Amino acid sequence: MSIENRPYQAAINGRPVTVAEVTPLAFAGFAHFTAMQVRSRKVKGLDLHLTRLREASIEFFGVAVSDQRMRAYIKAAIDAGPADQSLTVTVFVGGGEFSSRSMDTEPEVLVRTDTPAEGPRGPLRLSVVEHERPLAAVKHVGEAGKTYWLHQAIRQGFDDAAFLDRQGRLSEATIWNLVFWDGDAVVWPRAAILHGTMMGMVQRQLDRLGIAQRHEEITLERLGDLAGAAVMNSWTPGIAVTAIGGTTIPEAESFMRLLRRCYEAEPAVSLAELEQPVSGT
């Protein structure tokens, strides 16, 4: 059947839409994804991205696409684009939302590319919101709360928002992992969070560098004892945070240098290596 004769159409504001326009809207519900930065046609932490995709697919759908196929899809996208770009892999089942058809069915994979991203320069000031993301351990789509609380933070004069769980613990920020510095060791929040790929890269490089790190419950009262704070995600290993709610935090340059050092020490995987098995998968 030709496109013209299909019994459905799509329009935005009364006009037909292209695939490029409708694609970002197609995954507003039951799907998960990972986002990475490509530099010189290389990717850091590929094993962490593949593990995230595999484990989230099993959690959501009961079935996962093989790592080999995922590597092939990622390689094809990198090969077709510029040397530096952002790349997002979204995993979904057609017609799966509000339906049992998404159970125990091998999902499909959408790979999208865009211009490279670096994140804001910072430092950032974060408001505090009592919020817990559903299924926090999965990087899934359709989370309106993250954008909503970002907007509310900006209206209040902040740059972004940090989340406080029902136990009074800081967990993460809207699209960021939180990380702290006590002057000697890196401190990660103990709470239900998404274990970010950048977080994973930094953690294993801290181990290799022999830098102390630990997980700890971080309350608002605890913030005053800390020597530094930052946010991180796939864009950046660290942007300084100088305020969370009403508490001012020092802008620890040595801490920021340490986070960048960890990221720089993480090896990048080339296109040729994408064709081979990746350690850690």
Side-chain angles (χ1 to χ4, degrees):
M1 180 184 294
S2 69
I3 293 176
E4 292 77 10
N5 292 328
R6 286 179 181 173
Y8 55 83
Q9 300 180 49
I12 294 178
N13 297 330
R15 63 175 179 81
V17 296
T18 65
V19 171
E21 289 174 306
V22 78
T23 292
L25 307 177
F27 305 103
F30 195 56
H32 67 85
F33 70 102
T34 196
M36 63 192 76
Q37 293 298 312
V38 179
R39 297 294 184 271
S40 301
R41 301 194 185 281
K42 294 183 177 182
V43 176
K44 294 192 176 192
L46 179 64
D47 62 314
L48 300 175
H49 289 286
L50 292 173
T51 298
R52 164 185 281 173
L53 292 169
R54 183 184 343 104
E55 292 181 350
S57 286
I58 292 171
E59 178 72 17
F60 268 24
F61 313 121
V63 181
V65 173
S66 71
D67 288 1
Q68 182 178 5
R69 282 179 55 197
M70 280 293 185
R71 286 195 298 268
Y73 296 148
I74 293 169
K75 179 182 183 299
I78 294 175
D79 224 351
D84 297 343
Q85 57 185 311
S86 299
L87 189 148
T88 303
V89 181
T90 303
V91 184
F92 66 100
V93 171
E97 192 170 17
F98 311 122
S99 169
S100 61
R101 291 194 301 274
S102 54
M103 297 173 62
D104 303 318
T105 301
E106 184 165 336
E108 300 178 69
V109 180
L110 172 72
V111 181
R112 293 176 287 165
T113 59
D114 205 340
T115 54
E118 302 290 347
R121 290 182 58 85
L124 303 179
R125 299 172 62 254
L126 307 180
S127 68
V128 177
V129 177
E130 293 185 4
H131 179 67
E132 296 181 13
R133 295 190 308 103
L135 301 170
V138 178
K139 190 176 181 69
H140 53 85
V141 303
E143 291 191 72
K146 293 191 291 189
T147 302
Y148 176 81
W149 292 120
L150 167 65
H151 291 179
Q152 296 303 309
I154 293 171
R155 290 188 177 106
Q156 296 167 20
F158 293 91
D159 301 299
D160 212 323
F163 297 151
L164 199 69
D165 70 11
R166 70 192 70 185
Q167 299 180 52
R169 305 176 300 183
L170 286 164
S171 56
E172 51 195 356
T174 55
I175 58 170
W176 314 91
N177 280 120
L178 291 169
V179 60
F180 301 94
W181 177 243
D182 71 359
D184 297 304
V186 175
V187 183
W188 304 96
R190 181 179 288 123
I193 65 171
L194 175 71
H195 194 283
T197 53
M198 183 64 74
M199 179 181 176
M201 285 186 269
V202 169
Q203 285 178 333
R204 64 189 180 190
Q205 293 303 326
L206 286 169
D207 284 340
R208 290 171 184 170
L209 293 170
I211 306 296
Q213 57 181 321
R214 67 180 186 274
H215 289 78
E216 183 178 315
E217 294 186 354
I218 305 295
T219 63
L220 295 178
E221 293 74 23
R222 177 79 173 87
L223 287 177
D225 300 328
L226 296 171
V231 292
M232 63 175 60
N233 64 12
S234 63
W235 293 339
T236 172
I239 299 171
V241 172
T242 54
I244 297 181
T247 303
T248 300
I249 302 171
E251 186 177 352
E253 280 299 318
S254 61
F255 179 39
M256 302 309 301
R257 287 194 297 270
L258 173 62
L259 296 176
R260 289 191 290 269
R261 179 185 174 194
C262 288
Y263 180 66
E264 290 165 1
E266 179 74 18
V269 179
S270 70
L271 278 172
E273 292 170 307
L274 284 177
E275 298 175 336
Q276 305 300 323
V278 179
S279 62
T281 61

